[in-house]
Amino acid sequence: MEGNASNIIMRLIKLVGDATSVPVWLILSERRDAPVYRSRAIVAYIAHKVLKIPSVEVGRSLARDHSTVLHACKIAEQMISDASDDARLILGLSEAARELNFEYAPEFAVDRLVTAYSALSAEDKLRFMSHVAFVGATMEAA
């Protein structure tokens, strides 16, 4: 799982980075400003809570300690409970992960999602993110 988890997390970092307009290198950096930290927390939450990747593996991929990953998950859970725009993004991306059966075929599902997202035009990427936000809002209302 170790190598596989690392590949999945790197693809997830790219996807979250694209969705939040935070470059991958910043997500992996030591920077702690709000947009970077939020993006990193979203990656940690989806990787650990949704994809069920152990916090140690997530931490290794993010160059963080496992306890930092667990704290980031709590921050993401707080964003979800605050019903912010970040919450809709997290819930939408989490739902996409569930719909694509990440738990059962994670690398295949992430590859499909990243490939599909990367192939979109800028306009279609905006539509996709609107859909992700809609799915997140719908889940939140349920």
Side-chain angles (χ1 to χ4, degrees), residues 4 9 17 24 36 59 84 96 106-107 117 121 129 140:
N4 190 30
I9 294 165
V24 169
V36 175
S84 65
E107 188 164 2
Y117 185 83
S121 67
M129 293 315 300
E140 194 174 87

Side-chain angles (χ1 to χ4, degrees), residues 15-130:
L15 183 66
V16 172
D18 286 347
T20 60
S21 300
V22 175
V24 169
W25 70 270
L26 275 176
I27 293 173
L28 294 172
S29 75
E30 293 294 319
R31 299 227 354 220
R32 294 181 178 187
D33 51 312
V36 175
Y37 186 78
R38 279 195 307 270
S39 297
R40 198 177 298 129
I42 292 168
V43 169
Y45 176 83
I46 294 172
H48 181 59
K49 297 292 188 172
V50 177
L51 303 182
K52 308 297 185 207
I53 297 172
S55 61
V56 172
E57 291 297 322
V58 178
R60 192 172 294 138
S61 294
L62 291 171
R64 301 291 187 279
D65 184 82
H66 78 95
S67 62
T68 303
V69 170
L70 297 177
H71 179 70
C73 288
K74 287 181 183 178
I75 296 298
E77 288 167 349
Q78 184 62 48
M79 287 189 279
I80 292 169
S81 69
D82 291 345
S84 65
D85 288 338
D86 288 330
R88 287 186 284 283
L89 177 64
I90 294 166
L91 293 172
L93 288 172
S94 296
E95 182 61 21
R98 283 187 201 97
E99 287 177 10
L100 293 173
N101 294 317
F102 274 174
E103 293 92 347
Y104 303 108
E107 188 164 2
F108 174 73
V110 173
D111 280 341
R112 286 185 57 201
L113 189 55
V114 170
T115 300
Y117 185 83
S118 298
L120 295 175
S121 67
E123 184 178 307
D124 287 338
K125 284 180 181 178
L126 287 174
R127 283 192 196 116
F128 172 78
M129 293 315 300
S130 295

